[in-house]
Amino acid sequence: MTQYESLNVALTRLEAAMRAGDLWQSQTRPEPAAFDSEQPFNADTMSLGQWLRYVLIPRLQSLMDGEHPLPSDASIAPAAEVYLQANQASVRLPILEALRDVDNVLVNGELRPQEGQ
């Protein structure tokens, strides 16, 4: 599986986890000025859910669509752990697992081994 294919799987898992936890549908599109933030994860202008849905996923998808190089350094999951602390484990854990997959694909070029494999 190529790095692009692995990232596509990881992003699909992330979207599915967000949908299952009702963090996809509940995210309203931020105002255009919110995208101009210089803070990591646009933390001063967006919720984490908004950033994932309207910034991270579309940007990575655009890089893949254009066959551009992907970022090689990612630490999204550790930061998300802080932002998602208030969420129930049934919502938080699947999203964090999907983000760990995204991080691993960007850093190592492949998905993490799944349990039972």
Side-chain angles (χ1 to χ4, degrees):
M1 187 178 301
T2 69
Q3 185 179 22
Y4 290 150
E5 291 168 335
S6 295
L7 184 56
N8 191 50
V9 169
L11 293 177
T12 299
R13 288 179 184 166
L14 175 58
E15 182 178 337
M18 289 179 68
R19 285 183 185 277
D22 198 32
L23 290 179
W24 186 266
Q25 302 86 324
S26 64
Q27 302 305 315
T28 58
R29 183 163 184 78
E31 294 295 323
F35 292 87
D36 296 333
S37 172
E38 293 185 19
Q39 295 293 314
F41 310 102
N42 295 62
D44 59 336
T45 60
M46 295 182 195
S47 69
L48 178 70
Q50 287 174 314
W51 182 79
L52 292 171
R53 180 174 180 184
Y54 295 105
V55 178
L56 178 71
I57 294 172
R59 283 188 184 168
L60 292 176
Q61 191 64 53
S62 179
L63 290 173
M64 289 189 300
D65 291 347
E67 298 183 8
H68 298 289
L70 297 170
S72 60
D73 184 23
S75 295
I76 303 162
E81 284 189 66
V82 174
Y83 289 103
L84 294 173
Q85 281 179 335
N87 293 83
Q88 294 179 5
S90 62
V91 172
R92 181 180 68 248
L93 296 178
I95 292 171
L96 291 175
E97 286 301 306
L99 287 171
R100 287 183 188 105
D101 282 339
V102 171
D103 285 346
N104 202 71
V105 169
L106 294 176
V107 173
N108 299 314
E110 60 189 12
L111 290 166
R112 297 174 312 129
Q114 299 298 304
E115 287 186 28
Q117 288 186 354

